[in-house]
């Protein structure tokens, strides 16, 4: 049994001096300090070391740590890659394919920026409810949504969690897409295509990560909650992301899946096993115990769990 600390990052940017000062992410200064802290206190391993330990029983070093970066943000090339290279460290990157190839905002990112530009959350909630009614959602459903989803999480208030749940998975995909687009126009007021170009890595930039010795793995095609998708739809998501990995030059023999939103079910696990996936990364919080020939449900820590 090997113990492994896996740290999860999303946005890493100059937040204080940016236009979106309330975006939830890690400041570049904090990132530098955290890398110094982690490399001083842990052995930062490569994704290949983890795969090797599973496939060939190689023991991981004491206090092993893997750095993971979700969602394919341009931040990862601009701020993360130079810091990793400077320290001779490897990061593991998990870009969803759709925003990279189609330059379209994911709902989840629209919501982040909408929330970052909002001061009045009760007004945002009222806006969301009004737009739901406009899109044919009946008031009794809204009451039941409030009952089920108006609950605070580890990092977010009940208002924020309610908006996130509704716009990330509760409403039908077409409706939540339309509502988040409308809210994006109201709150951010910028062409989404330009915004997506600035936000997400391009195909060539992801190739550059691979060529720089970084690990790139799957985060699905459309960044869906896989546990809410059929077996067939999950297979499509996973297979199209593997095609993409092949195209950017990343490995697809023994590979790593990072579940969008940490969501998966028995079907996901069955599909991954069929496709020789070695590792699955969740958003459960904790120290990973690596054993057996595959580890498809590894927990991670958040960057906020360590000094910054
Ligand atoms: Zn994600």
């Amino acid at each position: 049994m090997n113990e492994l600390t896996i740290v999860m990052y999303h946005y890493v940017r100059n937040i204080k001096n940016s236009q979106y000062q309330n975006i939830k992410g890690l400041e570049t200064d904090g990132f530098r300090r955290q890398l110094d802290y982690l490399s001083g206190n842990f052995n930062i391993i490569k994704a290949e070391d983890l795969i090797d330990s599973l496939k060939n029983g190689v023991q991981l070093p004491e206090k092993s740590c893997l750095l993971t970066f979700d969602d394919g943000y341009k931040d990862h090339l601009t701020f993360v890659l130079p810091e990793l290279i400077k320290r001779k460290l490897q990061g593991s990157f998990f870009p969803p394919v759709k925003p990279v190839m189609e330059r379209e905002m994911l709902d989840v990112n629209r919501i982040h920026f909408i929330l970052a530009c909002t001061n009045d959350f009760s007004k945002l909630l009222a806006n969301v409810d009004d737009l739901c009614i406009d899109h044919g959602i009946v008031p009794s459903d809204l009451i039941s949504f409030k009952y089920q989803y108006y609950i605070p999480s580890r990092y977010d208030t009940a208002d924020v969690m309610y908006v996130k749940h509704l716009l990330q998975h509760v409403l039908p995909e077409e409706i939540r897409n339309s509502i988040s687009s409308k809210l994006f126009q109201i709150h951010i007021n910028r062409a989404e295509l330009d915004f997506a170009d600035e936000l997400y890595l391009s195909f060539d930039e992801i190739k550059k990560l691979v060529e720089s010795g970084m690990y790139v793995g799957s985060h699905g095609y459309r960044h869906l909650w896989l546990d809410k998708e059929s077996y067939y739809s999950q297979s499509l998501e996973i297979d199209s992301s593997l095609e993409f990995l092949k195209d950017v030059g990343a490995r697809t023999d023994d590979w790593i899946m990072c579940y969008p939103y940490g969501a998966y079910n028995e079907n996901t696990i069955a599909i991954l096993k069929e496709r020789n996936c070695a590792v699955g990364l969740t958003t459960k919080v904790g120290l990973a115990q690596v054993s057996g020939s595959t580890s498809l449900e590894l927990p991670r820590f958040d960057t906020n769990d360590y000094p910054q």
Side-chain angles (χ1 to χ4, degrees):
M1 179 75 77
N2 287 302
E3 282 185 346
L4 173 63
T5 297
I6 308 175
V7 186
M8 169 175 68
Y9 297 91
H10 289 91
Y11 299 110
V12 180
R13 50 175 59 198
N14 291 319
I15 300 170
K16 275 196 299 283
N17 301 319
S18 80
Q19 209 181 335
Y20 305 102
Q21 295 177 357
N22 293 323
I23 200 81
K24 289 233 173 114
L26 177 57
E27 286 285 352
T28 50
D29 290 349
F31 180 60
R32 280 186 207 107
R33 285 192 295 267
Q34 187 161 89
L35 280 185
D36 292 340
Y37 169 83
L38 291 174
S39 37
N41 289 276
F42 291 88
N43 287 301
I44 313 275
I45 62 160
K46 293 183 174 185
E48 291 79 3
D49 299 331
L50 170 58
I51 294 168
D52 204 27
S53 90
L54 288 164
K55 295 293 152 189
N56 305 316
V58 178
Q59 184 74 27
L60 290 177
E62 289 275 289
K63 300 204 84 182
S64 283
C65 175
L66 183 77
L67 307 174
T68 65
F69 301 85
D70 291 15
D71 295 340
Y73 300 127
K74 194 84 89 185
D75 298 0
H76 299 165
L77 188 84
T78 316
F79 302 112
V80 172
L81 183 66
E83 295 300 330
L84 293 178
I85 288 178
K86 209 188 288 175
R87 293 168 175 78
K88 298 192 168 61
L89 299 176
Q90 189 203 54
S92 294
F93 296 83
F94 299 95
V97 182
K98 187 176 176 164
V100 173
M101 298 309 287
E102 300 181 29
R103 311 315 278 167
E104 195 180 298
M105 296 279 294
L106 293 175
D107 286 347
V108 60
N109 296 128
R110 287 191 191 120
I111 298 161
H112 289 157
F113 285 91
I114 292 163
L115 291 171
C117 293
T118 304
N119 303 317
D120 186 346
F121 287 94
S122 53
K123 196 174 158 202
L124 177 66
L125 234 67
N127 270 340
V128 170
D129 284 352
D130 287 347
L131 284 164
C132 283
I133 300 287
D134 290 350
H135 285 76
I137 305 294
V138 293
S140 62
D141 279 348
L142 286 181
I143 293 168
S144 121
F145 294 159
K146 285 261 163 47
Y147 183 73
Q148 286 180 72
Y149 301 112
Y150 192 78
I151 299 165
S153 77
R154 191 167 178 228
Y155 298 115
D156 290 315
T157 63
D159 282 333
V160 169
M161 284 314 292
Y162 177 76
V163 171
K164 282 188 172 177
H165 277 299
L166 252 64
L167 298 183
Q168 284 175 0
H169 67 94
V170 173
L171 297 169
E173 191 177 0
E174 240 170 77
I175 295 183
R176 58 176 201 254
N177 208 282
S178 165
I179 293 180
S180 66
S181 258
K182 288 200 165 74
L183 290 171
F184 189 84
Q185 279 322 309
I186 296 169
H187 291 271
I188 286 89
N189 193 23
R190 281 198 49 203
E192 281 200 26
L193 191 71
D194 296 343
F195 201 90
D197 253 337
E198 287 167 24
L199 183 62
Y200 302 111
L201 293 164
S202 67
F203 180 84
D204 287 341
E205 288 168 337
I206 292 174
K207 264 180 130 172
K208 191 176 166 193
L209 289 178
V210 176
E211 286 158 12
S212 309
M214 301 293 129
Y215 177 83
V216 176
S218 170
H219 202 38
Y221 190 91
R222 288 183 290 162
H223 201 272
L224 300 177
W225 298 68
L226 292 175
D227 59 337
K228 299 182 197 307
E229 296 295 314
S230 68
Y231 187 96
Y232 176 71
S233 158
Q234 292 197 42
S235 306
L236 276 184
E237 275 292 310
I238 290 165
D239 287 338
S240 48
S241 74
L242 285 174
E243 277 300 308
F244 172 79
L245 292 183
K246 214 182 288 169
D247 291 345
V248 293
R251 67 187 283 178
T252 51
D253 46 354
D254 295 307
W255 53 282
I256 302 180
M257 176 77 198
C258 175
Y259 307 108
Y261 308 103
Y264 62 96
N265 60 17
E266 287 163 16
N267 284 343
T268 328
I269 301 285
I271 295 164
L272 293 180
K273 282 187 174 159
E274 273 173 23
R275 286 150 182 80
N276 291 325
C277 176
V279 176
L281 301 176
T282 72
T283 51
K284 280 186 215 109
V285 184
L287 182 65
Q289 307 289 341
V290 180
S291 64
S293 61
T294 57
S295 281
L296 297 178
E297 297 176 82
L298 294 183
R300 294 189 282 176
F301 288 102
D302 190 83
T303 168
N304 293 312
D305 294 318
Y306 291 96
Q308 296 174 345

